[in-house]
Amino acid sequence: MTVTITAFRQSPDRGAGLARDTRVRWALEEVGVPYDVRLLSFREMKEAGHLALQPFGQIPTYEDGDLVLFETGAIIFHIAERHAGLLPSETGPRARAIMWMFAALNTVEPPILDRTTTKLAESEEPWSEQRLRLTDDRIRIRLGQLSDHLGDAEWLEGGFSAGDLMMVSVLLRLKASGLLGEFPNLAAYVARGEDRPAYKRAFAAQLAVFTALSSP
Ligand SMILES: N[C@@H](CCC(=O)N[C@@H](CSCc1ccc([N+](=O)[O-])cc1)C(=O)NCC(=O)O)C(=O)O
């Protein structure tokens, strides 16, 4: 049975790879599992058919036979559990790699999402600029702590893992802000992630969706 994921029919980022299906595509490419994509319009995401799979009306979802999952972290953990290549087999190193998945989603990403909210949903508010400065400073604290921990290491725990896939995916959203560039070792870490053949295939696949839209 082929795995099927859902993605934006027309991603607001115009194929920049920032929508969360890119993380799942990357994980599937890393472990060599083929997948189909069901593209959804914003309207279709809120219709009963999709809400039955994803009660919050979002993408991505993951379907494999009778199993339906949502939440990118849970999907990637499921993929990494079942296929070699994203989690070490030894108990301790495996737990550490999973720890970094949670750190990416629960500690590093929240202030980044807060920044996105300020930029996209609060830009007309009189306090928006001030709030953006505060948000950026909170992000800088996390980036500084992560930068200090990573140092000159290639990946967070020795070999590349799902923890790095999630952390790089989280940090990618900062590229345009200039904040990532303030921490050269983190910028290089993200570039190493983008340079992985599996990431390149995942990125190209989601970009092709957007390109197909804009071709005559
Ligand atoms: N916690 C869930 C969050 C899923 C989620 O945020 N999905 C977003 C798309 S990825 C987030 C996202 C959206 C757009 C961009 N962009 O740059 O255009 C980047 C990331 C979505 O469906 N949004 C529509 C809605 O909520 O109605 C998960 O991790 O899977």
Side-chain angles (χ1 to χ4, degrees):
M1 182 71 77
T2 301
V3 164
T4 300
I5 69 170
T6 50
F8 283 132
R9 181 175 302 284
Q10 188 163 355
S11 179
D13 69 351
R14 305 171 60 78
L18 300 177
R20 288 169 186 245
D21 61 292
T22 303
R23 303 177 185 188
V24 176
R25 292 172 183 267
W26 186 4
L28 289 165
E29 291 289 355
E30 287 284 352
V31 299
V33 170
Y35 64 96
D36 292 332
V37 185
R38 186 166 60 252
L39 299 173
L40 298 176
S41 66
F42 281 97
R43 180 177 52 77
E44 288 166 330
M45 290 163 63
K46 307 305 183 213
E47 290 176 348
H50 186 61
L51 289 172
L53 304 181
Q54 218 285 13
F56 305 105
Q58 296 183 313
I59 58 97
T61 54
Y62 167 100
E63 297 164 80
D64 185 5
D66 294 336
L67 176 66
V68 177
L69 295 177
F70 60 90
E71 278 304 322
T72 312
I75 295 169
I76 291 169
F77 181 55
H78 173 74
I79 293 166
E81 282 250 282
R82 294 190 61 215
H83 303 279
L86 284 174
L87 287 175
S89 47
E90 310 83 3
T91 304
R94 190 180 189 87
R96 293 274 305 175
I98 292 165
M99 171 191 76
W100 282 110
M101 288 182 70
F102 280 87
L105 293 169
N106 290 339
T107 299
V108 178
E109 189 160 55
I112 297 172
L113 294 177
D114 201 20
R115 181 180 206 276
T116 303
T117 302
T118 300
K119 292 281 287 179
L120 297 184
E122 300 168 347
S123 59
E124 301 305 314
E125 299 296 337
W127 36 261
S128 175
E129 278 304 310
Q130 184 190 4
R131 176 161 149 71
L132 188 60
R133 283 196 298 275
L134 293 172
T135 307
D136 285 359
D137 287 345
R138 289 186 198 112
I139 292 171
R140 286 189 180 94
I141 290 169
R142 289 292 183 234
L143 295 185
Q145 293 164 331
L146 182 63
S147 173
D148 291 346
H149 175 86
L150 182 71
D152 297 329
E154 186 182 24
W155 305 113
L156 288 165
E157 292 285 327
F160 179 81
S161 77
D164 295 297
L165 186 151
M166 197 64 85
M167 190 64 80
V168 167
S169 298
V170 164
L171 295 176
L172 269 167
R173 293 188 68 167
L174 283 179
K175 268 183 82 174
S177 72
L179 287 164
L180 190 63
E182 295 177 23
F183 303 88
N185 69 327
L186 293 185
Y189 170 68
V190 168
R192 284 194 292 275
E194 292 179 286
D195 199 37
R196 291 181 67 87
Y199 176 82
K200 289 180 178 177
R201 290 194 297 272
F203 184 88
Q206 62 83 39
L207 178 59
V209 171
F210 179 77
T211 310
L213 270 178
S214 29
S215 54

